[in-house]
Amino acid sequence: MDVLKDISAAKETFWLNPNLKAVNDADFPISDEQISDASKRLERFQPFLERTFSDCPDGIIESPLKEISGMKTSLNEDGADICGRLFLKMDSHLAIAGSVKARGGVYEVLKYAESLALREGILKEADDYSLLCDQKEFFGQYTIQVGSTGNLGLSIGITAAALGFKVIVHMSSDARQWKKDMLRSKGVTVIEYDDDYSKAVEEGRRNSDADPMSYFVDDENSVDLFLGYVVAAERLAKQLDEQNVKIDADNPLIVYIPCGVGGAPGGVAYGLKRRFGDNVHCFFVEPVQCPCMLVGMATGRHNEVCVQDFGLSGITEADGLAVGRPSGFVGKTMENLLSGIFTVEDKRLFDWLRKLNVEENVQIEPSACAAFAGPADRMKHDDSKKYFENIPIEKCIEVCWATGGSLVPGEIMQQYLTAYVED
Ligand SMILES: *Cc1c(COP(=O)(O)O)cnc(C)c1O
């Protein structure tokens, strides 16, 4: 496969999914019932979230959808060909965790807390869930553990610590210091590994399995985590409606999402395919040194392959995407639903980070900027160009999913704004 030659050479490329199907013929392994169950659970937790997190005053963890016309013009000046409308889905500014992980991570912790509280008789489904604000001693008997490159740890750590759980976050060497510091300040135990994400997960799982009172959040296989992300789709549909943006066959929705292990982009894209069917086209973006989902899906070997098998380092400035081995669960779930995957060089992430800052006064982290590879490059690669020839691009709605950034400390953002600048 030519695309795998590009991958091994760490060249920017595009993989077109040959297994994409029309939704009527596609496999949707997660049921609508599971999705509405997740959505209702988040509703039940509204009073709890409202009382616990000052940045979540209505108890709904949701982010703005912002049209970014200045960014569109600027990308076009650099050679892109965006002729429809361009939007930014600002999960970078989600409450609690400042990243897309505030969807999946928070949801999984809430679900676990609910299951314990129901089981032990301290909660009924019909109760006002804000009563869980005062159960720290109860939850303190239990431990929650997770392996993370940073942001998942933040979302799990902040939520679980607020409920009263003991929390242990196993951080890979990619994790930024400020994320570890922030967690420790909230009483979370952070264990650091001089190794990659897969190692942090493995150690976390082992540690948790050895303790009967410990629960492990499994980023690679968790259906609950995935469901937390899926709910984003109905929320986006509502926002598009509110902004009078119609999505149909003549006005398709194109969505670009940065991908690490796959859970967040997979869940969001799955929900969107369920909601908008053939009128939405979903693409992932990965760093050239870390295209784990691409190698997994393109070879069909999913979590049996890793980027090191293709001679890549797995090292990237996009810390949220620094995952060498993909989730097999997500790769298989997205087999008929994902349109394709772009890869992007690190340096360009910082160009877009600056551009977004100047044009829109929005600050996001490098990982999140990967989304711009979609609109920037879709006419550059032969296979993506071919794909888009069948789409009425002058009428399409393009959404770049900004996956993180609002918790980045000011001085670190200043470093990002000057990184890789050539004199
Ligand atoms: C986690 C993360 C992603 C990707 O999510 P995965 O579930 O790992 O694929 C993208 N961007 C940011 C900022 C993240 O933190």
Side-chain angles (χ1 to χ4, degrees):
M1 263 184 279
D2 279 350
V3 67
L4 292 179
K5 277 193 209 126
D6 289 344
I7 288 298
S8 293
K11 253 178 73 182
E12 289 188 340
T13 190
F14 174 79
W15 172 72
L16 183 70
N17 180 10
N19 297 316
L20 174 69
K21 290 188 179 164
V23 289
N24 281 335
D25 305 319
D27 225 10
F28 280 96
I30 309 275
S31 73
D32 290 350
E33 200 181 354
Q34 284 171 287
I35 299 172
S36 77
D37 177 61
S39 180
K40 284 185 202 137
R41 181 164 294 103
L42 286 169
E43 271 172 38
R44 291 199 292 279
F45 269 99
Q46 245 172 275
F48 167 81
L49 294 169
E50 192 178 323
R51 227 182 96 190
T52 306
F53 297 105
S54 57
D55 61 347
C56 193
D58 54 3
I60 302 169
I61 307 165
E62 198 40 71
S63 74
L65 175 68
K66 178 183 164 62
E67 184 155 19
I68 46 172
S69 312
M71 187 70 177
K72 170 182 151 175
T73 305
S74 183
L75 288 170
N76 281 345
E77 282 165 6
D78 286 351
D81 175 29
I82 311 162
C83 36
R85 296 173 72 180
L86 183 66
F87 288 84
L88 191 69
K89 180 60 178 154
M90 293 173 64
D91 278 9
S92 46
H93 291 67
L94 279 175
I96 303 172
S99 81
V100 67
K101 307 296 193 304
R103 298 185 185 279
V106 174
Y107 175 75
E108 176 146 0
V109 171
L110 296 181
K111 180 162 186 221
Y112 177 58
E114 182 190 50
S115 72
L116 290 175
L118 290 172
R119 190 183 79 194
E120 301 301 324
I122 63 171
L123 178 77
K124 292 187 297 298
E125 261 192 32
D127 283 340
D128 177 332
Y129 276 33
S130 63
L131 72 82
L132 296 177
C133 299
D134 310 310
Q135 293 296 332
K136 295 200 170 55
E137 214 169 298
F138 170 72
F139 289 122
Q141 307 168 79
Y142 302 90
T143 303
I144 295 184
Q145 306 199 40
V146 65
S148 174
T149 63
N151 284 340
L152 184 64
L154 277 182
S155 88
I156 301 280
I158 292 170
T159 313
L163 278 155
F165 284 106
K166 294 202 269 291
V167 195
I168 305 176
V169 175
H170 302 261
M171 288 284 202
S172 67
S173 57
D174 309 282
R176 306 275 165 168
Q177 189 59 42
W178 67 265
K179 294 181 182 175
K180 301 176 205 170
D181 295 343
M182 185 178 284
L183 279 173
R184 287 187 173 125
S185 79
K186 296 186 189 287
V188 171
T189 302
V190 177
I191 303 182
E192 300 174 55
Y193 297 89
D194 193 17
D195 214 319
D196 71 357
Y197 167 82
S198 302
K199 182 71 179 175
V201 170
E202 187 188 318
E203 289 298 319
R205 183 182 287 122
R206 194 205 321 274
N207 209 35
S208 185
D209 287 351
D211 176 357
M213 296 296 272
S214 176
Y215 177 82
F216 183 67
V217 175
D218 184 347
D219 199 11
E220 292 168 339
N221 299 296
S222 169
V223 176
D224 285 333
L225 206 59
F226 193 80
L227 282 165
Y229 298 119
V230 174
V231 173
E234 64 189 53
R235 306 269 184 85
L236 178 71
K238 188 162 160 248
Q239 288 178 322
L240 288 166
D241 247 12
E242 285 164 0
Q243 298 191 28
N244 287 317
V245 180
K246 197 171 71 176
I247 304 299
D248 56 27
D250 296 326
N251 305 270
L253 178 63
I254 322 286
V255 181
Y256 310 99
I257 320 177
C259 180
V261 73
V268 170
Y270 187 93
L272 291 171
K273 289 303 283 187
R274 211 55 212 141
R275 180 70 182 65
F276 294 105
D278 298 325
N279 298 331
V280 65
H281 306 266
C282 299
F283 298 89
F284 293 170
V285 187
E286 301 188 295
V288 288
Q289 285 292 346
C290 223
C292 67
M293 189 56 70
L294 193 158
V295 299
M297 290 186 79
T299 59
R301 295 185 54 210
H302 302 294
N303 57 337
E304 291 164 18
V305 288
C306 66
V307 299
Q308 284 79 10
D309 296 340
F310 294 80
L312 299 172
S313 69
I315 294 171
T316 167
E317 295 277 356
D319 50 324
L321 315 180
V323 178
R325 189 181 297 277
S327 159
F329 155 63
V330 173
K332 286 170 204 162
T333 301
M334 296 310 293
E335 201 151 84
N336 298 161
L337 305 174
L338 187 67
S339 294
I341 304 179
F342 293 87
T343 65
V344 65
E345 282 180 14
D346 281 7
K347 175 182 173 301
R348 295 179 75 206
L349 305 177
F350 293 90
D351 292 339
W352 292 322
L353 190 146
R354 276 187 281 280
K355 211 183 262 301
L356 190 70
N357 177 56
V358 170
E359 299 296 336
E360 308 288 345
N361 191 24
V362 172
Q363 292 80 36
I364 63 176
E365 61 187 274
S367 300
C369 294
F372 293 114
D377 291 356
R378 63 174 162 69
M379 301 315 270
K380 283 191 194 161
H381 305 290
D382 291 344
D383 279 345
S384 57
K385 203 169 157 185
K386 241 183 275 160
Y387 187 95
F388 278 92
E389 272 163 10
N390 300 316
I391 293 176
I393 48 171
E394 63 292 342
K395 286 194 247 155
C396 72
I397 308 300
E398 294 185 73
V399 175
C400 292
W401 212 280
T403 43
S406 65
L407 293 190
V408 176
E411 72 270 19
I412 308 270
M413 189 54 77
Q414 281 312 312
Q415 290 168 17
Y416 288 161
L417 288 167
T418 53
Y420 287 87
V421 177
E422 277 148 28
D423 326 288

